[in-house]
Amino acid sequence: DDAPSEQFERRAVADIPVEGEVPALQSIVDWVNKVAEMTQPEKIYYCDGSDEEWSKLVDLLEQSGTVIKLNDSEMPNSIYARTDPDDVARVEDQTFICSVKEEDAGPTNNWMEPEEMKGIMRGLYDGCMRGRTMYVMPFCMGPLGGEDAKFGVEVSDSAYVVLSMKIMTRMGKSVLDEMVRLNAEFVPCLHSVGMPLKPGQKDVPWPCSDIKYIVHFPEERTIWSYGSGYGGNSLLGKKCYALRIASVMGRDEGWMAEHMLILKLISPEGKAYHIAAAFPSACGKTNLAMLEPTIPGWKVETLGDDIAWMRPGPDGRLYAINPENGFFGVAPGTGAATNPNAMRTIEQGNNIFTNVALTDHGGVWWEGMTAVKPPHLTDWKGRSWTPEEGPEGGRPDEKAAHPNSRFCTPIDQCPILSEDFNNPQGVPIDIIVFGGRRENTIPLVTQSRDWTHGVFMGATCSSETTAAAKGAVGVLRRDPMAMLPFCGYHVGDYLQHWLDMGAKQGEENMPTVFYVNWFRKSAEGKFLWPGFGDNSRVLKWMIDRLEGKVQGQETPVGVIPAEGELDIEGLGIDQAVVDECTRYVAHEWADELPRLENWFEGFGHKLPKPLAGELDKVRDAVKAQ
Ligand code: GDP
Ligand code: PGA
Ligand code: MN
Ligand code: MN
């Protein structure tokens, strides 16, 4: 019904009303006007990011039925949104890297010739904001005032996106002032839900389109997104800019944009270490970032839970910042027992909840929040729900919250936020951790032999798929550095960039690489390792290795904890179970080898030679056992 060819009366930009302060930066105004000419919004609204603006847009979204205001005494200043049931996750099939040359997108990205893609998308964008407000959001990724601050301007016809961007980025007047002062360049980020309104047409609570495109033009440093309101597809500062476009910037400028949490670990002796960890979506980053150690005397502070930008510092080491300003966390599984610091962060209010369940008192709930389920809820599809019967008209085992339901919460509410969070210099990284969800094969923790082996570990990282992306769940796939859906260029070139960074900075300056797996399962299909706060025991072993306090045990795939080295005091599980989590199993690795070979074959001539060499070493060692 909203075919792009549809006839409508086109307005000149001069006739489109403007609200808010027009930026004193002509480059923004020119681009905004060009977009308005194409998309034909009802009006243009320049956002200032203020609390007044938040309240005004919350009211608007409440009127349109997009959000419900939660009860302030349950959850202060917070809102709840239910999406269209088909718009609940990132759409990797519809995500494109439109580099000029196909080879630069590589085998792991969808590619289309840029002009061809623009032709398709101009057709979709043509008049797509009719009847809607076009919001303009100046934003900054990373602390304002850094010498190399990265700016963006997102244009969107969704007020939900505006509120989310206010939480997730530095957005609004202070950013614009800085952009004007610097006459700054910015990444133009165009977003539309792709559902124009005809005159008099009533809106739906969650407008979106069946046709979705999440498109990146890496050479132009431009992002075009169409058809989805879901965070990962619509908050363009996050995955699209801070990972896909920024990874290309990093390649060109000698730094790294990674899908990593950043934490500060403080030992009982008061020595501080910084750890960056890459796990695929819904594999434990937010939880590890806010870890509450179960071993006495150790402390964790949070710097980031999803994205790290790492640059060489004056001393040659890698320094990381978190470009974001909020958490966009997986709700299910988050509770006082698993992630108490996330609960403390959320309980302060100012949240946007999406696709969780609603309580009868105007609060929120999701599986894992509390051990005891509330007797009655409204589920993420708006249906009456009880623990015994599930949703009305549904199956009794249907969950109340969608598995990829999210909380969106300001990071400065985190009680253990590091004081370095706003430091534009970042923090020096001692340890890089890779991980994923593997029910077998991958030991609880393995240390790499050197930087090249560490890059190999990241390059061959794998995980069972999760609900964070549309598609089947639980399917094993390679996910190099947890960047498979986020690398803005050829993954072979990306791995070469990792090797180059090591060669340039020198082995002694690079972080030590470890590989973890919290998700190994017993024969009965239960997680062996208790995880969460007890992951501090694994972090402690890493530090003991750095400090030379433990020897570890050599295996064909790296160094694992030797017997007795993992601190399990008070853990409450048998040594036999610990052994099952930590061990190297030769026949499992014999099965893994052909999968690794198959993965590397897909790189063709772009496979960095040193990584082929690492595979040879692992193959020889596994076979020799
Ligand atoms: P992220 O998407 O990478 O940030 O992952 P989250 O930290 O949000 O975790 C995703 C899901 O995995 C949530 O349901 C968590 O409860 C669960 N999870 C996180 N850490 C662990 C762990 O150590 N063990 C187990 N079994 N589950 C975990
Ligand atoms: P996550 O972030 O990694 O915390 O799940 C969202 C995503 O990657 O889709
Ligand atoms: Mn992520
Ligand atoms: Mn997360």
Side-chain angles (χ1 to χ4, degrees):
D1 51 340
D2 288 318
S5 58
E6 191 193 333
Q7 289 300 307
F8 56 91
E9 205 181 317
R10 187 171 282 282
R11 281 195 292 181
V13 172
D15 297 331
I16 301 176
V18 175
E19 244 183 74
E21 195 183 316
V22 178
L25 197 59
Q26 199 54 40
S27 52
I28 298 183
V29 178
D30 287 347
W31 174 65
V32 166
N33 286 344
K34 228 171 80 187
V35 174
E37 172 129 34
M38 174 166 69
T39 60
Q40 295 284 301
E42 188 68 28
K43 69 173 181 216
I44 300 171
Y45 177 108
Y46 286 99
C47 300
D48 63 15
S50 65
D51 293 340
E52 295 70 41
E53 183 174 279
W54 166 278
S55 303
K56 196 167 75 181
L57 295 184
V58 165
D59 287 343
L60 270 178
L61 285 168
E62 192 184 34
Q63 281 157 31
S64 65
T66 309
V67 308
I68 292 169
K69 280 191 212 172
L70 296 175
N71 182 344
D72 273 324
S73 59
E74 296 281 319
M75 196 55 87
N77 192 35
S78 296
I79 55 176
Y80 167 57
R82 284 187 202 109
T83 70
D84 182 294
D86 261 342
D87 197 21
V88 296
R90 286 183 291 99
V91 284
E92 295 181 1
D93 287 352
Q94 288 303 112
T95 300
F96 286 77
I97 301 296
C98 292
S99 44
V100 172
K101 286 192 262 164
E102 180 169 8
E103 189 190 41
D104 290 331
T108 59
N109 286 309
N110 299 309
W111 178 85
M112 196 186 289
E113 199 277 313
E115 281 313 311
E116 187 185 345
M117 178 60 88
K118 284 185 183 172
I120 293 173
M121 292 194 76
R122 282 197 193 100
L124 294 168
Y125 282 135
D126 191 39
C128 74
M129 294 191 188
R130 274 170 295 141
R132 300 190 183 279
T133 300
M134 181 172 113
Y135 299 96
V136 183
M137 296 160 264
F139 66 90
C140 180
M141 300 312 290
L144 265 183
E147 58 183 285
D148 188 23
K150 298 284 186 203
F151 296 100
V153 178
E154 176 160 354
V155 156
S156 171
D157 52 7
S158 160
Y160 168 90
V161 166
V162 177
L163 298 183
S164 304
M165 285 291 284
K166 174 177 160 67
I167 293 174
M168 294 307 298
T169 70
R170 285 100 174 153
M171 187 277 274
K173 174 140 179 57
S174 54
V175 175
L176 184 60
D177 289 348
E178 184 75 351
M179 291 177 75
V180 170
R181 190 178 72 78
L182 298 168
N183 190 22
E185 288 186 19
F186 61 91
V187 171
C189 304
L190 169 51
H191 170 253
S192 172
V193 294
M195 205 200 119
L197 293 169
K198 299 184 191 81
Q201 183 183 342
K202 196 175 152 19
D203 206 356
V204 296
W206 188 268
C208 61
S209 167
D210 294 343
I211 304 171
K212 295 179 174 63
Y213 282 101
I214 319 298
V215 180
H216 310 74
F217 302 99
E219 286 90 356
E220 292 176 42
R221 314 270 200 254
T222 300
I223 300 158
W224 285 10
S225 168
Y226 180 90
S228 168
Y230 171 76
N233 304 323
S234 67
L235 314 180
L236 303 186
K238 191 175 180 54
K239 302 301 185 180
C240 300
Y241 184 160
L243 288 176
R244 299 196 190 96
I245 294 293
S247 62
V248 176
M249 292 173 163
R251 174 198 65 187
D252 296 347
E253 298 166 8
W255 52 281
M256 308 160 96
E258 301 298 335
H259 191 200
M260 290 177 173
L261 67 94
I262 312 166
L263 68 81
K264 179 176 179 176
L265 179 66
I266 305 159
S267 73
E269 297 80 42
K271 194 162 172 199
Y273 307 84
H274 293 99
I275 300 179
F279 311 151
S281 307
C283 292
K285 290 182 301 302
T286 301
N287 275 271
L288 190 64
M290 286 184 240
L291 178 100
E292 194 161 77
T294 51
I295 35 173
W298 292 77
K299 254 183 68 184
V300 163
E301 292 176 4
T302 305
L303 285 129
D305 81 320
D306 197 46
I307 300 177
W309 286 356
M310 300 192 289
R311 296 162 210 269
D315 59 358
R317 301 181 65 196
L318 284 187
Y319 284 71
I321 64 153
N322 170 12
E324 300 193 279
N325 204 29
F327 299 125
F328 183 63
V330 175
T334 308
T338 53
N339 193 349
N341 286 317
M343 294 310 290
R344 291 174 192 126
T345 307
I346 293 166
E347 277 156 14
Q348 293 178 54
N350 312 306
N351 305 284
I352 303 173
F353 296 101
T354 304
N355 289 338
V356 300
L358 189 64
T359 70
D360 295 348
H361 312 288
V364 287
W365 191 84
W366 48 77
E367 279 73 17
M369 179 200 260
T370 53
V372 179
K373 295 176 183 174
H376 181 261
L377 294 164
T378 307
D379 81 349
W380 72 278
K381 287 182 172 170
R383 300 171 298 185
S384 172
W385 184 97
T386 63
E388 300 77 29
E389 320 232 321
E392 211 175 341
R395 298 186 320 272
D397 63 337
E398 275 185 77
K399 304 260 198 292
H402 186 275
N404 193 38
S405 55
R406 299 269 170 172
F407 58 84
C408 179
T409 307
I411 198 168
D412 62 7
Q413 295 179 186
C414 178
I416 58 162
L417 189 68
S418 162
E419 61 181 25
D420 279 325
F421 169 69
N422 271 310
N423 175 359
Q425 256 62 63
V427 294
I429 297 299
D430 300 286
I431 289 174
I432 286 177
V433 182
F434 296 118
R437 238 172 230 275
R438 287 294 302 267
E439 59 182 13
N440 53 40
T441 314
I442 309 298
L444 181 65
V445 55
T446 316
Q447 183 185 2
S448 63
R449 289 181 286 269
D450 53 27
W451 180 250
T452 308
H453 182 227
V455 175
F456 173 81
M457 281 179 166
T460 54
C461 220
S462 58
S463 191
E464 290 133 20
T465 50
T466 69
K470 201 178 159 120
V473 169
V475 179
L476 180 63
R477 70 174 187 185
R478 297 296 129 185
D479 193 343
M481 283 79 175
M483 283 287 278
L484 181 73
F486 306 120
C487 185
Y489 59 105
H490 194 297
V491 66
D493 293 335
Y494 167 78
L495 297 177
Q496 185 63 52
H497 182 53
W498 269 76
L499 294 169
D500 292 345
M501 292 295 295
K504 202 159 130 235
Q505 303 311 121
E507 182 83 34
E508 68 287 0
N509 283 321
M510 294 313 263
T512 306
V513 176
F514 293 83
Y515 190 172
V516 301
N517 177 22
W518 314 141
F519 300 97
R520 218 158 164 176
K521 285 183 179 167
S522 66
E524 295 76 43
K526 285 183 67 178
F527 291 125
L528 290 163
W529 179 248
F532 302 103
D534 286 319
N535 293 334
S536 58
R537 300 169 189 277
V538 175
L539 300 186
K540 180 187 174 198
W541 182 77
M542 294 176 186
I543 302 303
D544 285 348
R545 284 290 296 150
L546 254 55
E547 298 293 350
K549 290 185 185 166
V550 292
Q551 293 306 302
Q553 180 195 328
E554 292 278 353
T555 79
V557 296
V559 178
I560 64 174
E563 211 183 306
E565 285 182 355
L566 205 61
D567 182 345
I568 55 165
E569 206 183 312
L571 181 61
I573 63 172
D574 289 351
Q575 180 67 47
V577 179
V578 175
D579 293 345
E580 224 183 316
C581 304
T582 51
R583 73 204 162 116
Y584 162 84
V585 182
H587 72 86
E588 289 181 341
W589 277 94
D591 291 345
E592 186 81 352
L593 281 177
R595 292 193 279 261
L596 298 182
E597 280 159 2
N598 190 39
W599 165 237
F600 272 2
E601 268 161 28
F603 286 69
H605 71 281
K606 290 266 197 181
L607 179 69
K609 289 232 160 53
L611 298 184
E614 289 299 319
L615 180 56
D616 289 341
K617 278 191 227 165
V618 170
R619 187 195 296 107
D620 292 348
V622 169
K623 289 193 168 158
Q625 283 255 316

